Amino acid sequence: MTENRSLVLVINCGSSSLKFALFPAGDQTPLMSGLAECLGETDARITAKIDGDKKTESLNGEGHAAALDVLLRVLAEHGWLAGVKAVGHRMVHGGEAFKASVVVNEKILSEIEAHNHLAPLHNPANLLGIRTAIAKMPTIPQVVVFDTAFHQTMPASAYLYALPMEYYREQGVRRYGFHGTSHRFVAEEAVSLLKLKPADHGIVIAHLGNGGSATAVLNGKSVDTTMGLTPLEGLVMGTRSGDVDPGAVVHLARAYGWDVNQIDTVLNKKSGLLGISELSNDMRTIESAAAEGHDGAQKALDVFVHRLARHIGGLATSLPRLDAVVFTGGIGENSSLVRKMTIERLKVFGIVLDDAANEATIRGKAGVISKGAGPVAAVIPTNEEWMIARDAGELAGLGGSKGAARA
Ligand code: AMP
């Protein structure tokens, strides 16, 4: 059956993976989503989920172009291909040049390429996805949505490091922040869920997934966030350390004779929940092991929560008033324990947990999990893919996208 509605394809391309989702313009529920993984390796495969039904097929060791060929074939088989009127791409780093999403052309692509040094692992992979999609769908508008764009409203006091200014001028070394698409989505949803005044509110959003960041949002704009030049700064994450005394890194590098790649691996891949627990990077495993008395898991949980609460408190100082703390991401949406432990540490703000509401607000549910007259604590499931689809639809001139989302 041919689909009459305009459709938007969302592509999030990594170095060996390609995530995708297909949305009718203006509709938050995807018709299809999926993942191509292990691209370029012998077990390269693509899995598409349609109506809860998952199908996987081998890509015979091929890469991104083959994955996109299969994706386009699946779209055609379902009568969706002709309806695709825009493609939205996730781009990790837009530096200071990109403050909003844009339609791609050659000039924009070279400007993005000029930022590759800021995200050497992510941006080239994202660009590969765009170039491949342009080659396969040359007449469809391609839109780039940046993880960093939402945080471009941060003031210099929040984004500058106290390093010699020449490194900012010459290398662009400053705080940029990430997860911007998620923070932007949740910030908008919070206004309607919590009936906040659009031009008079202050909230802190904690996006807690395998990577995690928290953001202070003043009247819909990011004014401070925990991630920095790279996604390594700030909260304790699955395998990333978050904040560490840079002196500790210098000390270890001297003690063990590490080069920069070894430092990078330790801080990004071996630290965080995994590093402290010596067990797992996965919060579910950490929680159940801690409940069974695993000392490392308990320490990992405690440090995670301590750091999170401390950052939420710090971010609140960028707001004239704290109206709400909102949790999102895999941990934020599902771990009533992490939320409870965190809110217990936020007593100074007058937030009081509603235990029953906290326990009940899991698995994709949104709602308030606090009681009393103080600031509200709430859970709002994120939907980054939809935000990318919405931006792509709007910039491609597909009617109804924004209106439908905000209705
Ligand atoms: P994300 O990167 O947003 O998919 O989030 C992944 C993280 O969410 C992992 O640490 C998971 O262990 C965690 N997570 C998912 N479900 C739960 C749950 N029910 N309880 C605790 N953590 C969870």
Side-chain angles (χ1 to χ4, degrees):
M1 198 183 71
T2 306
E3 173 71 49
N4 292 322
R5 291 175 291 182
S6 295
L7 304 175
V8 183
L9 181 63
V10 173
I11 291 180
N12 179 355
C13 195
S15 54
S16 63
S17 69
L18 189 156
K19 277 193 214 147
F20 53 88
L22 181 72
F23 291 87
D27 190 338
Q28 289 199 23
T29 312
L31 290 167
M32 175 184 73
S33 60
L35 169 70
E37 55 198 324
C38 303
L39 295 174
E41 296 168 31
T42 44
D43 52 350
R45 58 192 178 271
I46 181 165
T47 303
K49 191 167 122 192
I50 302 170
D51 287 334
D53 192 26
K54 274 191 189 175
K55 280 209 178 73
T56 301
E57 73 177 83
S58 165
L59 291 168
N60 301 315
E62 295 203 61
H64 294 81
L68 216 50
D69 280 337
V70 173
L71 176 55
L72 296 184
R73 195 198 73 217
V74 173
L75 291 176
E77 284 167 3
H78 286 80
W80 290 328
L81 189 57
V84 176
K85 297 290 187 284
V87 182
H89 296 268
R90 176 185 183 217
M91 178 65 58
V92 166
H93 220 305
E96 291 184 332
F98 296 100
K99 302 189 188 324
S101 306
V102 282
V103 179
V104 161
N105 55 33
E106 265 312 314
K107 186 168 164 277
I108 297 278
L109 283 180
S110 13
E111 274 182 55
I112 296 173
E113 235 153 37
H115 290 89
N116 278 1
H117 68 287
L118 292 172
L121 296 180
H122 292 102
N123 269 25
N126 300 155
L127 279 165
L128 173 66
I130 299 175
R131 290 200 184 279
T132 315
I134 292 173
K136 305 280 178 200
M137 293 175 275
T139 59
I140 311 289
Q142 314 270 335
V143 171
V144 206
V145 180
F146 300 90
D147 272 13
T148 46
F150 182 60
H151 301 298
Q152 278 298 301
T153 45
M154 281 196 288
S157 52
Y159 72 64
L160 286 178
Y161 289 117
L163 291 168
M165 284 299 282
E166 63 189 281
Y167 305 128
Y168 169 55
R169 286 191 298 266
E170 290 167 16
Q171 298 291 330
V173 171
R174 50 157 278 184
R175 310 183 62 251
Y176 291 95
F178 297 87
H179 291 140
T181 314
S182 174
H183 287 300
R184 180 159 62 105
F185 174 80
V186 173
E188 285 190 18
E189 293 286 303
V191 169
S192 44
L193 177 76
L194 306 176
K195 302 195 171 45
L196 303 170
K197 292 197 184 98
D200 180 24
H201 67 273
I203 62 176
V204 173
I205 298 168
H207 173 114
L208 309 173
N210 198 26
S213 68
T215 296
V217 178
L218 174 63
N219 305 335
K221 292 192 166 66
S222 169
V223 286
D224 194 8
T225 192
T226 56
M227 284 178 166
L229 173 76
T230 76
L232 187 52
E233 190 180 338
L235 306 180
V236 175
M237 306 177 220
T239 60
R240 294 190 200 125
S241 62
D243 299 335
V244 180
D245 176 0
V249 181
V250 173
H251 174 83
L252 288 170
R254 282 200 187 112
Y256 294 118
W258 288 343
D259 63 18
V260 284
N261 292 326
Q262 286 166 302
I263 294 171
D264 198 47
T265 304
V266 170
L267 296 179
N268 276 300
K269 304 240 164 77
K270 296 189 172 174
S271 298
L273 294 175
L274 175 66
I276 302 177
S277 69
E278 301 184 299
L279 177 73
S280 173
N281 65 314
D282 191 296
M283 187 54 93
R284 278 166 295 203
T285 311
I286 295 292
E287 281 187 19
S288 50
E292 284 161 16
H294 189 289
D295 186 50
Q298 186 62 52
K299 283 201 175 76
L301 188 58
D302 290 343
V303 177
F304 182 96
V305 168
H306 175 98
R307 180 87 55 86
L308 173 59
R310 188 169 74 164
H311 268 292
I312 292 173
L315 289 165
T317 65
S318 283
L319 304 171
R321 192 181 67 238
L322 182 63
D323 291 316
V325 174
V326 184
F327 294 89
T328 194
I331 298 171
E333 291 167 29
N334 294 296
S335 175
S336 50
L337 178 65
V338 166
R339 296 188 311 230
K340 182 182 166 72
M341 290 172 71
T342 308
I343 291 167
E344 274 168 5
R345 298 187 72 110
L346 296 174
K347 283 204 183 83
V348 66
F349 293 102
I351 307 179
V352 181
L353 187 73
D354 177 334
D355 263 311
N358 183 41
E359 294 303 325
T361 312
I362 52 170
R363 287 195 217 102
K365 284 200 197 122
V368 171
I369 57 167
S370 59
K371 57 189 178 188
V376 168
V379 177
I380 297 180
T382 194
N383 196 345
E384 291 167 277
E385 282 81 16
W386 153 246
M387 267 322 247
I388 296 173
R390 196 184 86 179
D391 280 7
E394 278 173 26
L395 288 172
L398 308 183
S401 185
K402 195 169 198 167
R406 296 210 170 138

